[in-house]
Amino acid sequence: MAHDTTHASEADHAHHDHHDHHDHHELNFWQKYIFSSDHKVIGIQYGIVSLLFLLLGFLLMSCMRWQLAYPGQPLPLIGNFINDLYGGENGVMTPEIYNMFGAMHGNIMVFLAIVPLGFAAFGNYIVPLQIGAPDMAFPRLNMASFWAFFIGAILIFGSMFIPGGPAQAGWTSYSPLASSIPTNGQAYWLIGLVILIASSLLGAVNFIATIIQLRAPGMTWMRMPFFCWAQFVTAFLLLLAFPPLQVAGLMQLFDIVFDSSFFLPSGLIVGGQPADISGGGSPVLWQHLFWFLAHPEVYVLILPAIGMICEIISNNTRRPLWGYKTLVFAVLTLGFLSFIVWAHHMYLTGMGTVISTFFQTTTMIISIPSVIILTCVLLSLWGGSIRFNTPMLFALAFLPMFGIGGLTGLPLGFSYSDLYLHDTYYVIAHFHYIVAPGTIFAFFAGIYFWFPKATGRYMSDYWGRVHFWLSLLFMNLIFMPMFLQGLNGMHRRMVDGGANYASPVGPEGGVIGLLSEYIELNQTISIAAWCLGLAQIPFIINFFYSITHGKKVHSDNPWKATTLDWQTPTPPPHGNFTHPVEVFRGPYEYSSPESDDDFVPQNAKPSPSHQPAVAKK
Amino acid sequence: MEIPYTVKPRPDTGVYNAKIGIWLFLASEIMLFGALFSSYIILRITAPEGSWLEGVLNVPIGFVNTLVLIASSVTIVMAWASLKMNNYKAFQGYMVFTVLCALTFLCIKSVEYNDKFHHYEMWTNAESNNRFTGHFDKSWLAEQKSAYKAKVAQLNADHQKALSSWSQSDKSTPAPVAPKFPEITFFTLTTTEIRNLAAFLGTDSVVFEKEAKHAYKYHGMPGEDTHASNDHAAAGAEDHASSTSAHDDHSHHESLTIPVSEIKRTSAFIPSHSTYFAIYFTLTGLHALHVFGGACVLAYFVICNRKMWKNEPDRLANRIEVGGLFWHFVDLVWIFLFPVLYLL
Ligand code: HEM
Ligand SMILES: [Cu+2]
């Protein structure tokens, strides 16, 4: 405790110095909060926008879940509104609307919610702090990157309100379907996507340059917190995997706007009419370009989450992360391998057994580093004196959820089992286990964990626990039954939840359609989904209430953490550190005998009293 | 607050920030153009028999452009070297030359593009010789355009008249509906546009200036000798098209009047013509955008950074170095583009 108070007053003092120093050129509101080039403000901007999109993506899905559970029945509350926007009558969701919502749910969740939240929001806020840098290497580029993201996001979101409605061809936008649907929404989406990609390329360049160039003195590579490693690899994935999708996006845009035939085969018939195109293109080419991005993209979704989990678990077990070096090499391997597994999404395109075999092999190999990571983190728990606070609960729940998601990926990685499972609810359950109770739980953990640094106040632990247990329950109630549905053959994009395929028992006694018990699960799932939405209310209230009314932190380092992000004033000022930082040790010196307290911050000088006896002589 | 290593290199990495930044950016650019080149390869090897174009681009012009870009790549290095040797005058000269090269390149490229926009291929329903290149007869096109404009204006005027007399009436009859007419830009004509135009104006045939020599080679095309002479070339088209003797000034063209009903498809040499032109325009267009962007930045460095030369000469030299790296990359992409598109 004594340690804490001295620390705080020291920091307060420093804080004052800082203000005095900056008084002459005080920034106005716009420069400070809107067009700011401060990485923390940009991080928070990304955070706010992407959390809003997360909510929007969820609301779209809630509407779809109504249609799946009660096909053809009027959608309560907003049924008439969507009829006005997109057609249809009596408040019923038409198949077109279902497809629009489905496509937008996927697009928004992946490109506008999870990636910007994990990589850009948390990354921007935390990485420069953790490596001891005053800001990103290119602060103005950072701002440009946020505003490019914002414009792209507005275009994609805006496409929901144009005549004809938004894109309808799923987040994968397979051609020729995507370019044949009569709506301009697809073009909007593509333009938005090209801008988004430009934004994340700028972001990726910035992150890598920052991590390479701006590490504080003494912050060697192997002293970097694991979160920074995860962001480093993620940035490379974005840098190298996104350009092909940008190209693919431009090519599909050409197909739509200039009537070219990049992805359109000869003899294409659209709506009963031969299309007025040259043909000669290759639909599979789109899939290759798309998945060349989209597989690395799934690691973009998960790596920042894993990074945060590692920080939080190490901090709350009060012991070093088990196998830090192993983790680093595993994540580097994972990043590299993720570029050569993409076609495991394409076993059904008839690309041939040789190619399938190659991609099966690489897919199996890539599961090794994933398992290594999970194992290291699990072993870190061993013998720790665990503090079960809200961030830690979310972090702990992440582990089995990520495990379930990852292990269920293996049957998908083998072409023969994937022939059966492809495009069923099994796939939906697989990746949602990783992204929803996985990545999103990690984000919750991160929000509860870093909230005190950004605001100087805690979020309520009690309501945090309520939020956690309810979320955990409903997440599993939603996604676990989907495995069953998928295994029993329910296709992933059916607008009626499979009712058309309902067929109890065939003539010979064998099952020839979907059993009604699996169709009825739709209702269970939908109710759980809506309850999950309700379970976020405590979080939302807790979040806003705590900004102004939460319990105040008594020190700059309330969790007693070792990494540099906690060795700053609260909240960190522009420029982050009040004194030049120097790093003397690794990132996770918890329970170190060197200190009376149970941790030693990275920037703590080696104290003379703990020098080896020889040195004292 | 000061960001470290913006000008001086960081001792352990040996580079300053912007240099890392540009190398990373170029890495992503390599993936960008790499994906396009891969797409080119896949489109080419999976193209249906006889649909991949060859020899349609103007090689000498492309070659000149290659030389122009290479020259600019040399001068940008000279510019940087002059700065390092404290010779600002020479630096300015080399930079201006570099930017002029870039502009020359873009001008030549746009001439090439323009040529393609007005060059058509025509596929007809005829038994033989049903595929030839050329362009629409200029005077015919002008006639159509003015007829179209006149008719649209007429329809609009009629509508206005009807509308005003309706609004003065007791409005017991429903309001007159706005006239419908097909949107035709006349920038390039597509098959659909030609059909719509014909239906709208009541024209039943188009006048097409056929080239004696097909504009390109492709697998499965009849040997060139069938196209060698003017009188022979018209043989197949004669079933449906009446040919008039060639104009004096276009001795290598032959004027054909083709009934609209006989047109299977027609397209200028634009992305909708074939996947070849689609990838050609995507690759070269994206490259030209890079040239344009690079030229703007280089021009900015030489026009607006005089003060920086006085205060922070190292910083300016870094800028030129980074800009030069980008410029070399743009040049390198063209070095790949030229043989792949023009020669192969
Ligand atoms: C060892 C781990 C993993 C393996 C072996 C694996 C394997 C697969 C395979 C083969 C598919 C394609 C299934 C099909 O379409 O038939 C798939 C789909 C998917 N996976 Fe994984 N996966 C793994 C981990 C992950 C991770 C970590 C994430 C993301 C954070 C993820 C996200 C996805 C997504 C989003 C899809 C669905 C794409 C779509 O069709 O819309 N997977 N997975
Ligand atoms: Cu994958």
Side-chain angles (χ1 to χ4, degrees):
Chain A
M1 197 63 229
H3 173 94
D4 275 357
T5 36
T6 47
H7 200 98
S9 61
E10 208 179 274
D12 273 350
H13 183 65
H15 210 123
H16 273 277
D17 280 357
H18 182 83
H19 264 281
D20 294 345
H21 175 68
H22 265 264
D23 265 348
H24 335 284
H25 42 97
E26 208 43 74
L27 302 169
N28 67 28
F29 172 82
W30 289 92
Q31 290 166 319
K32 213 163 163 183
Y33 298 110
I34 310 294
F35 296 103
S36 168
S37 60
D38 182 346
H39 70 100
K40 299 178 292 296
V41 179
I42 295 176
I44 290 172
Q45 287 174 324
Y46 266 118
I48 293 171
V49 176
S50 50
L51 279 171
L52 286 176
F53 276 115
L54 193 65
L55 186 65
L56 178 72
F58 180 82
L59 292 178
L60 290 173
M61 183 38 89
S62 314
C63 298
M64 295 168 72
R65 284 303 330 173
W66 174 271
Q67 168 69 10
L68 291 174
Y70 310 106
Q73 293 185 31
L75 188 66
L77 304 176
I78 62 161
N80 291 322
F81 173 66
I82 63 169
N83 284 164
D84 290 346
L85 265 181
Y86 307 117
E89 49 200 25
N90 301 332
V92 178
M93 190 182 246
T94 62
E96 287 78 21
I97 301 179
Y98 181 85
N99 287 342
M100 290 174 196
F101 279 25
M104 291 316 273
H105 165 77
N107 285 330
I108 288 179
M109 284 302 199
V110 173
F111 296 110
L112 302 181
I114 307 286
V115 175
L117 193 53
F119 177 71
F122 281 104
N124 254 307
Y125 198 93
I126 299 166
V127 167
L129 292 177
Q130 279 194 338
I131 61 172
D135 204 316
M136 297 288 268
F138 311 110
R140 270 183 299 170
L141 203 64
N142 204 13
M143 178 172 85
S145 147
F146 171 74
W147 285 105
F149 162 74
F150 192 75
I151 293 169
I154 292 297
L155 266 176
I156 294 181
F157 176 59
S159 78
M160 297 194 67
F161 302 99
I162 61 168
Q168 295 179 21
W171 84 287
T172 52
S173 285
Y174 280 4
S175 269
L177 181 64
S179 39
S180 327
I181 295 174
T183 162
N184 290 330
Q186 187 69 24
Y188 275 71
W189 178 70
L190 289 168
I191 298 172
L193 191 74
V194 168
I195 300 175
L196 277 187
I197 294 176
S199 148
S200 60
L201 290 179
L202 297 184
V205 167
N206 214 343
F207 271 100
I208 301 173
T210 305
I211 292 176
I212 293 179
Q213 291 288 98
L214 299 197
R215 280 167 294 126
M219 177 63 84
T220 57
W221 287 99
M222 283 301 159
R223 281 180 182 166
M224 247 181 14
F226 185 69
F227 178 70
C228 295
W229 273 109
Q231 288 285 330
F232 189 64
V233 174
T234 309
F236 267 106
L237 298 184
L238 287 175
L239 185 78
L240 301 178
F242 247 142
L245 185 70
Q246 200 169 23
V247 163
L250 284 174
M251 286 160 75
Q252 199 176 70
L253 199 62
F254 263 50
D255 278 1
I256 294 174
V257 179
F258 300 130
D259 297 318
S260 60
S261 302
F262 282 121
F263 306 125
L264 306 178
S266 303
L268 181 68
I269 310 273
V270 177
Q273 291 289 320
D276 177 17
I277 54 164
S278 71
S282 163
V284 178
L285 177 59
W286 167 267
Q287 297 194 23
H288 278 296
L289 292 173
F290 181 84
W291 288 114
F292 185 83
L293 157 87
H295 187 84
E297 177 86 353
V298 306
Y299 288 96
V300 173
L301 300 172
I302 197 72
L303 288 183
I306 293 180
M308 289 193 278
I309 292 303
C310 287
E311 299 300 311
I312 292 167
I313 283 193
S314 167
N315 175 264
N316 285 309
T317 51
R318 313 306 297 163
R319 49 171 309 207
L321 209 49
W322 197 90
Y324 168 79
K325 272 199 181 156
T326 319
L327 275 170
V328 169
F329 288 114
V331 80
L332 289 172
T333 317
L334 197 73
F336 173 73
L337 287 174
S338 72
F339 283 103
I340 48 170
V341 299
W342 79 89
H344 65 207
H345 296 268
M346 299 167 55
Y347 290 138
L348 263 73
T349 56
M351 57 189 177
T353 48
V354 178
I355 300 181
S356 288
T357 307
F358 173 81
F359 283 101
Q360 282 182 69
T361 314
T362 52
T363 304
M364 289 309 118
I365 296 174
I366 201 175
S367 56
I368 297 172
S370 318
V371 171
I372 291 179
I373 291 179
L374 199 60
T375 312
C376 284
V377 184
L378 276 175
L379 283 178
S380 303
L381 300 173
W382 191 281
S385 47
I386 301 180
R387 298 191 302 211
F388 287 100
N389 46 28
T390 311
M392 187 60 174
L393 286 177
F394 276 107
L396 287 174
F398 170 90
L399 301 176
M401 298 295 107
F402 176 65
I404 294 175
L407 291 178
T408 52
L410 296 179
L412 298 173
F414 290 111
S415 63
Y416 45 83
S417 39
D418 187 55
L419 293 185
Y420 179 70
L421 295 171
H422 180 70
D423 264 352
T424 65
Y425 265 86
Y426 182 93
V427 176
I428 304 283
H430 152 68
F431 69 82
H432 279 90
Y433 254 99
I434 294 174
V435 183
T439 303
I440 295 184
F441 271 19
F443 292 166
F444 282 138
I447 292 174
Y448 284 103
F449 188 69
W450 275 284
F451 192 87
K453 176 62 23 190
T455 63
R457 292 171 190 271
Y458 294 99
M459 285 174 78
S460 152
D461 203 46
Y462 176 79
W463 288 107
R465 279 159 203 270
V466 172
H467 175 215
F468 168 73
W469 287 109
L470 290 179
S471 297
L472 184 66
L473 173 71
F474 292 126
M475 283 281 190
N476 283 287
L477 274 180
I478 296 170
F479 295 117
M480 198 52 94
M482 288 189 186
F483 282 125
L484 291 178
Q485 291 185 319
L487 285 169
N488 284 281
M490 189 181 285
H491 187 270
R492 69 189 272 192
R493 297 199 204 267
M494 288 190 299
V495 61
D496 59 359
N500 263 328
Y501 289 83
S503 164
V505 185
E508 309 284 307
V511 180
I512 57 166
L514 279 169
L515 288 175
S516 58
E517 53 205 273
Y518 297 110
I519 297 178
E520 278 155 19
L521 277 178
N522 276 334
Q523 296 179 11
T524 318
I525 296 175
S526 295
I527 292 169
W530 300 321
C531 290
L532 179 67
L534 295 180
Q536 305 314 306
I537 292 176
F539 168 73
I540 296 173
I541 296 178
N542 190 355
F543 186 88
F544 286 107
Y545 182 81
S546 302
I547 292 178
T548 48
H549 293 79
K551 196 173 97 193
K552 276 202 169 146
V553 294
H554 295 298
S555 100
D556 285 329
N557 189 359
W559 308 115
K560 301 192 173 182
T562 49
T563 46
L564 291 181
D565 42 337
W566 297 99
Q567 322 307 329
T568 59
T570 307
H574 196 47
N576 295 343
F577 294 92
T578 43
H579 305 288
V581 263
E582 194 175 348
V583 174
F584 298 98
R585 54 192 78 239
Y588 303 113
E589 298 215 351
Y590 289 108
S591 305
S592 157
E594 223 184 285
S595 152
D596 307 331
D597 216 333
D598 71 339
F599 73 105
V600 192
Q602 284 193 275
N603 59 345
K605 281 209 173 63
S607 63
S609 62
H610 286 278
Q611 293 290 311
V614 206
K616 265 187 180 170
K617 258 201 282 190
Chain B
M1 179 197 71
E2 185 110 353
I3 308 281
Y5 312 119
T6 45
V7 182
K8 290 268 161 288
R10 180 181 162 120
D12 57 348
T13 61
V15 283
Y16 50 91
N17 296 347
K19 199 153 171 185
I20 287 265
I22 195 73
W23 277 114
L24 291 167
F25 181 68
L26 292 185
S28 87
E29 291 277 57
I30 288 175
M31 294 305 288
L32 187 89
F33 282 100
L36 268 176
F37 276 114
S38 313
S39 304
Y40 170 90
I41 293 170
I42 290 181
L43 286 172
R44 183 171 178 154
I45 60 181
T46 61
E49 183 67 23
S51 70
W52 195 259
L53 279 57
E54 271 167 24
V56 61
L57 300 178
N58 189 332
V59 178
I61 275 198
F63 185 65
V64 169
N65 249 351
T66 311
L67 294 183
V68 169
L69 270 196
I70 291 180
S72 75
S73 246
V74 174
T75 50
I76 186 90
V77 179
M78 308 289 272
W80 178 72
S82 319
L83 260 197
K84 284 282 178 192
M85 291 183 295
N86 274 326
N87 187 346
Y88 193 75
K89 268 261 142 53
F91 159 76
Q92 275 179 319
Y94 284 125
M95 286 300 275
V96 169
F97 185 81
T98 309
V99 174
L100 285 182
C101 280
L103 296 182
T104 313
F105 177 89
L106 289 176
C107 286
I108 295 182
K109 199 76 218 147
S110 56
V111 169
E112 262 191 285
Y113 271 15
N114 195 46
D115 182 51
K116 296 287 170 283
F117 292 154
H118 299 297
H119 208 146
Y120 282 79
E121 179 153 13
M122 178 75 80
W123 292 263
T124 69
N125 293 332
E127 293 286 311
S128 61
N129 271 345
N130 50 11
R131 178 174 187 179
F132 43 87
T133 58
H135 55 84
F136 287 99
D137 181 73
K138 290 218 177 66
S139 51
W140 176 82
L141 207 57
E143 261 167 43
Q144 299 298 309
K145 195 168 169 179
S146 57
Y148 171 81
K149 279 197 173 147
K151 185 149 185 198
V152 167
Q154 182 64 41
L155 282 175
N156 278 332
D158 288 354
H159 177 63
Q160 285 307 326
K161 229 186 263 164
L163 207 61
S164 67
S165 67
W166 175 80
S167 62
Q168 279 153 27
S169 73
D170 57 357
K171 299 189 182 171
S172 55
T173 53
V177 281
K180 280 211 179 88
F181 39 79
E183 286 252 0
I184 295 165
T185 54
F186 287 99
F187 176 60
T188 60
L189 287 173
T190 66
T191 323
T192 319
E193 277 177 333
I194 296 247
R195 294 204 179 117
N196 288 344
L197 184 70
F200 183 59
L201 294 180
T203 24
D204 44 41
S205 54
V206 303
V207 182
F208 194 79
E209 299 280 324
K210 179 189 171 199
E211 291 171 318
K213 193 163 176 290
H214 205 92
Y216 60 85
K217 295 181 285 231
Y218 53 88
H219 292 291
M221 186 164 136
E224 279 199 15
D225 46 320
T226 47
H227 295 265
S229 65
N230 277 354
D231 39 61
H232 198 99
E238 253 164 17
D239 319 355
H240 307 289
S242 63
S243 70
T244 54
S245 66
H247 293 283
D248 299 337
D249 48 338
H250 299 122
S251 53
H252 53 297
H253 280 118
E254 177 188 12
S255 209
L256 296 180
T257 307
I258 307 167
V260 172
S261 58
E262 284 308 316
I263 297 177
K264 201 153 107 198
R265 184 175 138 78
T266 183
S267 170
F269 286 175
I270 54 175
S272 60
H273 175 272
S274 54
T275 49
Y276 172 83
F277 273 116
I279 195 86
Y280 164 77
F281 277 105
T282 316
L283 267 169
T284 54
L286 214 56
H287 176 260
L289 271 182
H290 279 75
V291 173
F292 180 72
C296 289
V297 172
L298 294 183
Y300 170 80
F301 285 166
V302 63
I303 295 170
C304 306
N305 279 356
R306 187 179 268 277
K307 243 215 203 115
M308 188 180 282
W309 169 244
K310 302 234 167 64
N311 306 332
E312 307 165 278
D314 286 347
R315 187 148 168 236
L316 182 62
N318 285 351
R319 281 195 168 181
I320 304 300
E321 187 181 11
V322 165
L325 281 171
F326 177 77
W327 197 250
H328 286 318
F329 174 79
V330 172
D331 188 21
L332 191 71
V333 170
W334 181 258
I335 303 273
F336 277 95
L337 276 180
F338 176 63
V340 165
L341 292 174
Y342 286 72
L343 304 180
L344 284 181

